[in-house]
Amino acid sequence: MHHHKKHIFFDLDHTIWDFDRNAEETLNELYDTHKLATLGVTSCADFIATYTENNHQLWADYHLGKITKDFLRSQRFSKTFIALGVHPDAVPHQFEDDYVRISPTKTNLFEDAEMVLAYLQKKYTLHIISNGFKETTLTKMDLSKLNPYFQNVIISEDVGVNKPSPIIFEYALDRAKTTKPDSIMIGDSLEADIYGALNFGMEAIFFNPMEKEKPADVKHEIKHLKDLLTRF
């Protein structure tokens, strides 16, 4: 039980904002508007699966500081098109810009997100810590009507480092005017959210809707956001 906590820090993408569902909606639209079938991309499902794999890998490298935001953005779709047999010269370069413009306007959240946040907000102070890009993160928060639940939205681009760096957790606690024992992190990324917090000396709850294997050194896990109602 975590009743003694005062501040709860949430990740945004893949934890509250349903990144995969929102991406899928966006990519289905762009598949049609960019007429990808005429480029030889015969299946939108294959396109989404290949993109998802590339994007996850590039984000893992970005979290670890191996690549820049610009490199990630330049590569994730071009790698996908090339992997699916599109000639490099035929890759539609406008695609990335369209995706970045449309995707943050999608508002699918994980099941029970608003109900859980409303419940927690009555008893705790809530914050976001996101490695997402600044402008897209702010758009998502605004259009998904999430701002009223959170006191602070900490974005790695503002801090200059990404989770799992202890610097971003230190910054977030300073902003919240709180301490490690009074704080807890909730997120889906073992690397960025969970080990980031644990190595910093702060408790964490692994949000694991995909039911990945939980490492033995990660004590707390939930499969659904509503599981938090019994923890807090």
Side-chain angles (χ1 to χ4, degrees), residues 5 7 37-38 40 48 57-58 66 71 79 94 96 101 103 116 125 143 145-146 163 188 196 206 208 216 230:
K5 298 293 179 190
H7 292 263
T38 63
I48 290 171
Q57 183 53 55
L58 288 162
K66 290 184 188 170
F71 184 83
K79 265 182 86 159
Q94 186 58 36
E96 168 69 29
R101 181 172 47 81
S103 161
V116 170
T125 307
L143 297 180
K145 301 184 168 50
L146 289 170
K163 296 174 293 187
D188 71 292
F206 177 33
N208 188 15
T230 58

Side-chain angles (χ1 to χ4, degrees), residues 27 36 57 89 101 150 187 200 205:
L27 293 171
L36 296 191
Q57 183 53 55
D89 295 344
R101 181 172 47 81
F150 296 98
F200 174 63
I205 299 173

